[in-house]
Amino acid sequence: MSVTSKVAVALIVEFVVFGLLLFGSAGTLEWGAGWAWMVLMFGGGGVVTVLIARRDPALLAERMRSPLQPDQPLWDKVFLIAMGVLWCAWLALMGLDAVRFQWSAMPLWLASAGSALVAVSFRLVARVFLENTFLAPVVKIQKARGHRVISSGPYAVVRHPLYAAACIMIPASALVLGSWWGLAFSLLLLAGIVWRTVMEERELVAHLEGYVQYAQRVRYRLVPLIW
């Protein structure tokens, strides 16, 4: 199967799964915020995918590989499975919260702010992918592709800008969907990102030449001036 076909299948599967989790838990398709979030996520994801396909097809091919690979640390395999389960539970919770049981009542301006933040996060995601051709979905050193330290663009500000973008996108998504419980649950997902950041850095320090010097120059992992 070609990379283009794999991308198309992956997007269709994600759309169906996300839709079933959100609207199935909500108990209705008449949920404007749910559709707004789907448009934001798949519109933004589609734009980023097209950019990568045009600028860096080798990266797109790498991104389409299995999320569980032989040269990947065991802890990362466990992490990705756990995060996948948490993500699915999170989407279902927000459908239950915002629509089926209406536990939450969130003002429209917060949902609008969330939409803006999701859009900003996708802008950062696009910038990161165009800067770093070694941005694999799993933690590993890509010796065959000449893996090296990337220190330009957003990597000159924080060492893990893709994770920083995710830390914006996840709570912002809960705002778009109007779920206070989803916002609270998102803290678990953010904690997972922080944990993976620390664990990934151990691998990079130990196995990627020049990373120690890079970490000394760029002090912050995710948030400038904080951490």
Side-chain angles (χ1 to χ4, degrees):
M1 184 182 293
S2 68
V3 174
T4 302
S5 298
K6 288 181 180 180
V7 171
V9 170
L11 288 174
I12 291 170
V13 170
E14 285 187 356
F15 188 89
V16 171
V17 171
F18 290 6
L20 287 174
L21 289 168
L22 278 176
F23 297 101
S25 60
T28 180
L29 292 175
E30 296 181 5
W31 182 17
W35 287 113
W37 183 79
M38 293 285 280
V39 169
L40 283 169
M41 293 297 291
F42 287 92
V47 169
V48 171
T49 301
V50 170
L51 285 174
I52 299 172
R54 290 179 176 176
R55 303 280 188 88
D56 196 346
L59 173 58
L60 184 60
E62 180 65 42
R63 298 290 301 182
M64 287 296 102
R65 293 185 62 190
S66 168
L68 303 177
Q69 301 178 19
D71 49 352
Q72 175 187 10
L74 176 60
W75 65 261
D76 194 47
K77 296 178 182 179
V78 174
F79 168 82
L80 290 177
I81 293 171
M83 285 293 281
V85 171
L86 286 175
W87 177 273
C88 291
W90 178 60
L91 292 181
L93 172 64
M94 290 189 287
L96 294 172
D97 175 26
V99 182
R100 186 181 292 267
F101 298 116
Q102 298 184 1
W103 296 322
S104 291
M106 190 173 289
L108 181 59
W109 70 268
L110 267 181
S112 300
S115 298
L117 287 171
V118 170
V120 168
S121 69
F122 269 112
R123 177 66 182 87
L124 178 55
V125 166
R127 184 72 177 85
V128 173
F129 275 119
L130 293 178
E131 197 69 37
N132 187 0
T133 189
F134 307 109
L135 206 57
V138 306
V139 174
K140 65 177 184 177
I141 304 301
Q142 302 167 61
K143 295 180 180 179
R145 298 186 65 221
H147 198 170
R148 67 183 185 277
V149 172
I150 302 296
S151 59
S152 55
Y155 288 90
V157 181
V158 293
R159 300 200 295 269
H160 299 274
L162 184 63
Y163 296 163
C167 288
I168 298 171
M169 183 184 298
I170 290 171
S173 293
L175 297 181
V176 175
L177 293 168
S179 174
W180 289 113
W181 281 105
L183 186 61
F185 193 100
S186 69
L187 295 177
L188 286 177
L189 297 173
L190 298 186
I193 291 172
V194 169
W195 184 82
R196 193 192 201 201
T197 299
V198 173
M199 295 296 291
E200 183 173 335
E201 287 228 314
R202 292 181 183 178
E203 295 288 329
L204 295 172
V205 166
H207 303 294
L208 184 60
E209 182 180 356
Y211 194 85
V212 172
Q213 294 79 7
Y214 166 65
Q216 291 171 346
R217 294 195 309 271
V218 180
R219 296 175 54 194
Y220 303 102
R221 295 178 177 91
L222 294 177
V223 184
L225 305 178
I226 297 177
W227 188 74

